[in-house]
Amino acid sequence: MSGPMIEVRNLTRAFGPVTAVNGISFSVARGEVFGLVGPDGAGKTTTLRMLCGLMDPTSGEMRVAGFDTVTQTEQVKDHIGYMAQKFGLYGDLTVEENMRFYADLFGITGQDCEDLMANLLKMTRMEPFRARPAAKLSGGMKQKLALMCTLLHRPQILFLDEPTNGVDPVSRRDFWAILYQLVKDGLTVMVTTAYLDEAERCDRVALMHQGKFLLMDTPQVLRESLPEVCYELRGDDMRSVRDRLRQLPSVSHVELAGNSVHVFLRAGERETELFAAVPGASFRKVLPSLEDVFISTVRNAGAARDAA
Amino acid sequence: MISFRRTRAMARKEFLHILRDSRSLYLALMLPVVQLILFGYALSLDVDRIPILLFDQDRSPQSREMLAQFRGSRFFTVLGDIESYQPGEYAITSGTAMAVLVVPRRFGEDLAAGKQVPVQLLLDGSDSNTASIALGYARAMVAGYSNQLRTEYQIRNGAGEIKPPVDPQIRVMFNSELKSKNYIVPGLIAVILMILASMLTSLAIAREWENGTMEELLSTPVRASELALGKLSAYFILGALDTVTIVLAGVYFFGVPLRGSALVLGISAGIFLFGAMSWGLMLSAITRNQLQANQLGLLSSFLPAFLLSGFVYAIDSMPALPRFMTYIVPARYFVAMMKGVFLKGVGMELLWGEGLLLLLYATVVFVILTRKLRQKIA
């Protein structure tokens, strides 16, 4: 199939007076990893559910794998894998039983099923746990099992809703390694996450806030997009340094990050005032992280709304 | 098109849940038998062994002869003889005796003189049903003795034996001993199956919602009807096992005769279980909450099945509104079928109407169930 794997136009979903998703449009190409980032309640899960045909939109159009999600839901379901925020596993069933159940639902049988299961178990290094009940797996293993269950029918598009929530860092890294391997074989992935380091791993990221996309681009472009210039300052007692820098008129805002601060200089302002404020300290010009970009964007959006 | 493979996958998965949850499994297999035994004994509607005190003021051969009838009857248990009213009144007030029979002074003398002699019966009317039955027994016994005396008197006076002008010949059909167990147990089986079926299934869909697995299922190609049929068939196996167990318990433990065909019994129980289980699943699909579904399941199965099925309370003697309500209670039709098969030994030639209505009920509930399951997340 040529053309985008996911295409969304003016998608809106209202729950009574609350508009959870408010007129978003985007498209995702084959083999792309598209990240949806935003605070809780931004509308990420609702967007994903609508794309999987689990929920109908109030208005707007969606095509997934070339099928309309409202009128051709059954075809859409054959082409997608969906991993809900709370992994849909049966705790009293073993790893293998969980996998066989989903394989049966998707019509994967016989040798084909055996091969696929063996491959997936090998790739995720879950072979030793075949006979273990899902409830007795660790968080990371549960997540891998859930992923395997959604991959059994070789979907073209994978929808992952905060897949690494509550999973340890090592398992998270494993999880992404598996994802990249699948993407190399042509899988398209749309993932929501609250972790900004995870967002950096995506080909393209959209920042969602109160039902709208505030930003959407590659992580690199987004990091370069801030009009403010970012300086990093390391040292002790950064809390008081932050409070001092905040007073400066040329500084837009200051973010504390461990034993360093990121200072954002307003566009067009000179550094002299800033450097003079903390004598003897070494300032380093850095590319802001995605986190910096998102926090500053969300803050500006809030300020713009307050002014309006 | 319904896919057999997906339905079977659902059924197998659900059956694994049932097998793995051993505590619920034992409960599901044991509870019906326990319920049958408890209700079977407690719900005896037979009135016999009425505790009674005798106050013989006369102490004549005639009074002793009449009281001997009470002493020998299985309907009365004579607690003792008293010498005054006081202990009798006390016994009735405290509940140790149900009745006191008082034979007046000069009973024998007056009888011999051919006078009409009153006999007094004191009764505890606080349980009016039992009291009126006790009254009936006592009246019949006194009347019997009185007839006997009159006949003897007439023979002695050379008038010959005069038979009563009308002699009712009674034959009780289907439950000739009029044992209440015989009609309670078949109805009880219906009530227990109704409770069991809706309780078992009321958790099955709500659990998927609470565990987050429902969202996953909705993203797969499985259809609402496959999901429902798969779950139903897993629980159906359990329900069928329970049916066999309590029918056997009814026949061998309570000695209720099974006069009709076991096949007809099985078919009607099958249709009934299908409807009752769909009902439980439907509640589960509507509430999406295990606790609520369970409570609703219990209320909506137990109360109507107990009160409005004709199991304990005769439908014909109900006021118009509840009598009308019984028509929408599936247990009503199943109770009728069970009594028909057990006691009357009739088959489908007479029960097809009830069978069809049960089938109609099951179909309607199943359709609502699949509608509810087809609904999206919000």
Side-chain angles (χ1 to χ4, degrees), chain A residues 13 15 49 53-56 69 73-74 77-78 80 82-84 86-90 92-94 97 101-102 104-107 109 150, chain B residues 5-10 12-13 16-18 20-21 208-223 375-378:
Chain A
R13 169 73 204 215
F15 296 103
R49 282 175 171 174
L54 302 180
M55 222 184 236
D56 285 333
T69 58
T73 316
E74 303 300 322
K77 284 179 180 177
D78 280 332
I80 62 162
Y82 171 59
M83 198 169 132
K86 212 174 150 194
F87 311 140
L89 296 173
Y90 298 100
D92 51 341
L93 267 52
T94 65
E97 284 163 346
F101 172 60
Y102 281 105
D104 275 342
L105 289 189
F106 281 107
T109 50
T150 59
Chain B
R5 193 196 56 244
R6 288 195 293 257
T7 311
R8 194 187 51 194
M10 270 325 285
R12 188 186 295 151
K13 180 212 74 142
L16 282 176
H17 289 324
I18 296 173
R20 301 272 155 90
D21 186 3
E208 303 252 12
W209 278 109
E210 286 180 13
N211 289 347
T213 41
M214 196 63 188
E215 202 171 331
E216 209 68 54
L217 285 181
L218 287 175
S219 75
T220 72
V222 72
R223 277 156 215 261
Q375 276 177 0
K376 306 203 169 183
I377 286 183

Side-chain angles (χ1 to χ4, degrees), chain A residues 168-182:
Chain A
D168 68 88
V170 178
S171 299
R172 268 169 66 189
R173 191 193 300 254
D174 282 357
F175 185 80
W176 277 94
I178 297 168
L179 272 191
Y180 280 135
Q181 208 173 323
L182 295 164

Side-chain angles (χ1 to χ4, degrees), chain A residues 22-298:
Chain A
N22 194 351
I24 58 171
S25 300
F26 64 96
S27 66
V28 179
R30 174 186 286 275
E32 197 177 8
V33 179
F34 185 78
L36 198 53
V37 192
D40 287 344
K44 305 187 297 277
T45 299
T46 306
T47 307
L48 235 53
R49 282 175 171 174
M50 285 192 286
L51 284 167
C52 296
L54 302 180
M55 222 184 236
D56 285 333
T58 307
S59 67
E61 272 176 62
M62 291 171 292
R63 294 187 83 77
V64 170
F67 300 105
D68 188 295
T69 58
V70 178
T71 57
Q72 297 170 295
T73 316
E74 303 300 322
Q75 286 96 320
V76 168
K77 284 179 180 177
D78 280 332
H79 289 86
I80 62 162
Y82 171 59
M83 198 169 132
Q85 205 162 4
K86 212 174 150 194
F87 311 140
L89 296 173
Y90 298 100
D92 51 341
L93 267 52
T94 65
V95 168
E96 191 171 341
E97 284 163 346
N98 267 291
M99 290 176 80
R100 280 196 197 282
F101 172 60
Y102 281 105
D104 275 342
L105 289 189
F106 281 107
I108 315 294
T109 50
Q111 195 55 45
D112 190 23
C113 175
E114 302 301 322
D115 292 347
L116 253 168
M117 277 179 49
N119 280 344
L120 286 168
L121 285 166
K122 197 173 154 202
M123 181 169 77
T124 54
R125 283 176 289 160
M126 288 279 286
E127 284 150 320
F129 309 107
R130 268 182 108 108
R132 188 179 287 196
K136 297 208 169 110
L137 296 174
S138 72
M141 290 199 276
K142 275 185 189 151
Q143 171 213 38
K144 282 183 189 167
L145 174 56
L147 182 68
M148 287 193 286
C149 289
T150 59
L151 288 173
L152 277 165
H153 61 296
R154 297 193 192 86
Q156 298 181 12
I157 310 168
L158 201 54
F159 291 96
L160 307 170
D161 195 3
E162 307 212 356
T164 55
N165 215 351
V167 170
D168 68 88
V170 178
S171 299
R172 268 169 66 189
R173 191 193 300 254
D174 282 357
F175 185 80
W176 277 94
I178 297 168
L179 272 191
Y180 280 135
Q181 208 173 323
L182 295 164
V183 168
K184 209 170 62 200
D185 297 336
L187 186 74
T188 307
V189 178
M190 179 161 173
V191 56
T192 73
T193 181
Y195 298 115
L196 273 307
D197 61 316
E198 250 172 40
E200 309 247 8
R201 298 168 183 267
C202 298
D203 295 322
R204 225 149 38 97
V205 178
L207 170 65
M208 198 168 188
H209 182 61
Q210 294 179 338
K212 288 185 174 163
F213 281 3
L214 297 182
L215 296 171
M216 178 167 60
D217 218 314
T218 64
Q220 184 65 25
V221 171
L222 288 177
R223 291 172 68 181
E224 288 163 356
S225 69
L226 270 193
E228 294 93 348
V229 182
C230 180
Y231 283 96
E232 190 187 62
L233 172 59
R234 287 184 178 278
D236 298 325
D237 196 18
M238 282 299 125
R239 213 167 277 275
S240 69
V241 170
R242 177 192 63 181
D243 293 342
R244 209 171 333 142
L245 292 177
R246 265 187 185 162
Q247 311 297 323
L248 301 178
S250 62
V251 167
S252 126
H253 58 276
V254 189
E255 296 297 338
L256 194 61
N259 59 350
S260 70
V261 285
H262 281 187
V263 193
F264 293 84
L265 202 61
R266 285 182 201 286
E269 292 281 353
R270 290 179 173 281
E271 291 88 347
T272 42
E273 189 187 49
L274 175 63
F275 291 166
V278 195
S282 70
F283 285 88
R284 200 160 63 90
K285 196 170 177 176
V286 293
L287 194 61
S289 66
L290 269 186
E291 189 166 344
D292 293 328
V293 176
F294 288 160
I295 289 172
S296 137
T297 310
V298 169

Side-chain angles (χ1 to χ4, degrees), chain B residues 41-54:
Chain B
Y41 277 122
L43 265 175
S44 169
L45 300 181
D46 295 329
V47 177
D48 53 11
R49 297 194 295 273
I50 299 158
I52 192 169
L53 285 169
L54 304 178

Side-chain angles (χ1 to χ4, degrees), chain B residues 120-136:
Chain B
Q120 188 182 33
L121 184 71
L122 304 175
L123 261 179
D124 178 2
S126 60
D127 178 356
S128 63
N129 198 37
T130 312
S132 64
I133 294 173
L135 178 62

